[in-house]
Amino acid sequence: MEPLTSLPLTEWAQAPSPPERQQAIGALENGQVLFFPQLSFVLREEEKVLLSPSLSNGRAKNISLDPSGKLKHIDVTPGQHRLLQAMMERFARNSVTLVSNLIPGYAAKLERARTSYRPAEIAGRKYSAVKDDTRLHVDAFPTRPMRGRRILRLFTNINPDGKPRLWHVGEPFEDMASKILPKVREPIALTPLLLAAVGATRGVRSSYDNLMLGLHDTAKLDENYQRNTVHNEIAFPAGSTWLCFTDQVMHAALAGQFVLEQTFHLDIDVLAEPARAPIKVLERMTGRVLA
Ligand code: SIN
Ligand code: FE
């Protein structure tokens, strides 16, 4: 499988042609990265002061903007706060417009989740293996149970020095799951309720969430898997944009600095082919209902 499908859009509000729409849906649901080599997010002159890792308070990997407009993990002056919030809000709105125009079938159920700004260089950062995104993984978050819903993410490289963002894209989801799932241990049944009751998770974690967290952690911790699996190297140039289901595409970010990212959550009933969603794949593999 080709890891990438390219579309020649140049504007965030551009309406794609019907064949382009079909191509986009097919690529995304098939587990490819949809690449927009000519779609850039341009900072305004006064926003260029935001191109600095010092805006982050260092307590999280990224600066984030939640859909209510609240910025988190920042260390900024009131002036920078205003600029950062306006810039990230503009990027979030552009992202919603792009995805809604590209796949009108998703638009009704497309939930705008967090927006993030990633001003730190990735190469050389030190994290524990489980938090280390230079290792191939599918996204799954301990605090955000998805119960089978999808994680769709849009990334834009805004590096001012022309530096690409370097990714590895791994094997198809089902191939990964067939190797890793047998090694995943599910926690005992009481734990999800307990975590929700003490406020550690937003909502109750389903078996699907446990398995996805298990796949995320087990794949990252498996040195042998990391060394020997497929690594398609992709360099996303400065000034380009890409979109993929990060709960399905095995991905790792190796190097690069200054990326904006928009997360969407999506119900699987609006997919063209819900049977390709990770929850359906895992239900077939385990013979169980997972959410
Ligand atoms: C990730 O989602 O694992 C990191 C992607 C990136 O920051 O480029
Ligand atoms: Fe990730």
Side-chain angles (χ1 to χ4, degrees):
M1 184 178 79
E2 286 296 319
L4 220 69
T5 288
S6 299
L7 279 187
L9 299 194
T10 54
E11 305 290 335
W12 292 88
Q14 200 173 332
S17 66
E20 284 173 332
R21 286 196 171 128
Q22 279 318 310
Q23 212 186 342
I25 297 171
L28 288 173
E29 295 191 14
N30 199 22
Q32 288 177 305
V33 177
L34 196 57
F35 178 40
F36 306 93
Q38 303 166 65
L39 185 62
S40 56
F41 181 77
V42 181
L43 293 195
R44 298 185 173 146
E45 205 45 48
E46 68 272 22
E47 290 170 344
K48 297 202 170 143
V49 295
L50 301 172
L51 291 164
S52 161
S54 69
L55 302 184
S56 157
N57 68 10
R59 277 200 287 279
K61 286 180 193 168
N62 311 313
I63 291 169
S64 68
L65 175 76
D66 68 31
S68 71
K70 192 173 165 34
L71 281 172
K72 289 190 190 138
H73 315 303
I74 43 172
D75 183 4
V76 291
T77 64
Q80 289 170 328
H81 191 284
R82 262 194 311 278
L83 282 172
L84 188 60
Q85 199 171 31
M87 184 272 281
M88 290 180 73
E89 190 59 44
R90 191 169 80 251
F91 171 71
R93 280 198 310 269
N94 279 350
S95 304
V96 172
T97 303
L98 179 83
V99 177
S100 310
N101 278 333
L102 189 63
I103 313 183
Y106 290 178
K109 294 283 183 74
L110 193 69
E111 181 203 331
R112 175 182 148 184
R114 240 198 286 177
T115 313
S116 72
Y117 174 39
R118 309 176 172 199
E121 169 61 52
I122 291 177
R125 287 199 304 190
K126 286 278 167 279
Y127 284 111
S128 67
V130 164
K131 288 199 171 157
D132 181 2
D133 289 337
T134 69
R135 296 169 186 240
L136 284 161
H137 64 282
V138 284
D139 285 345
F141 303 101
T143 54
R144 262 181 288 165
M146 298 303 295
R147 308 186 60 81
R149 299 179 77 213
R150 306 300 311 269
I151 304 172
L152 180 66
R153 290 186 140 172
L154 182 94
F155 299 84
T156 294
N157 184 353
I158 58 167
N159 189 286
D161 308 314
K163 213 178 159 206
R165 194 145 190 109
L166 196 65
W167 271 32
H168 284 163
V169 170
E171 62 185 344
F173 181 84
E174 200 151 356
D175 295 353
M176 175 278 293
S178 68
K179 292 171 195 139
I180 305 293
L181 196 61
K183 303 180 187 172
V184 171
R185 294 275 157 277
E186 249 200 277
I188 53 164
L190 254 185
T191 322
L193 280 173
L194 214 61
L195 287 172
V198 300
T201 57
R202 278 178 245 166
V204 179
R205 224 186 251 169
S206 61
S207 293
Y208 171 72
D209 294 293
N210 288 331
L211 291 183
M212 289 296 284
L213 279 169
L215 291 174
H216 171 274
D217 294 2
T218 308
K220 276 187 174 176
L221 290 166
D222 189 332
E223 303 290 348
N224 199 41
Y225 179 78
Q226 292 290 331
R227 243 193 325 274
N228 297 316
T229 185
V230 178
H231 298 83
N232 292 297
E233 194 169 295
I234 303 175
F236 297 104
S240 73
T241 295
W242 60 105
L243 176 68
C244 65
F245 281 113
T246 55
D247 55 4
Q248 177 177 5
V249 177
M250 285 293 277
H251 63 283
L254 283 296
Q257 188 177 9
F258 303 118
V259 145
L260 284 162
E261 174 269 338
Q262 178 63 49
T263 300
F264 298 97
H265 298 160
L266 190 67
D267 289 350
I268 68 164
D269 58 0
V270 295
L271 299 175
E273 289 187 77
R276 289 181 190 246
I279 187 165
K280 295 297 177 192
V281 173
L282 295 177
E283 286 185 338
R284 283 195 297 276
M285 294 177 80
T286 57
R288 290 163 51 202
V289 176
L290 296 175

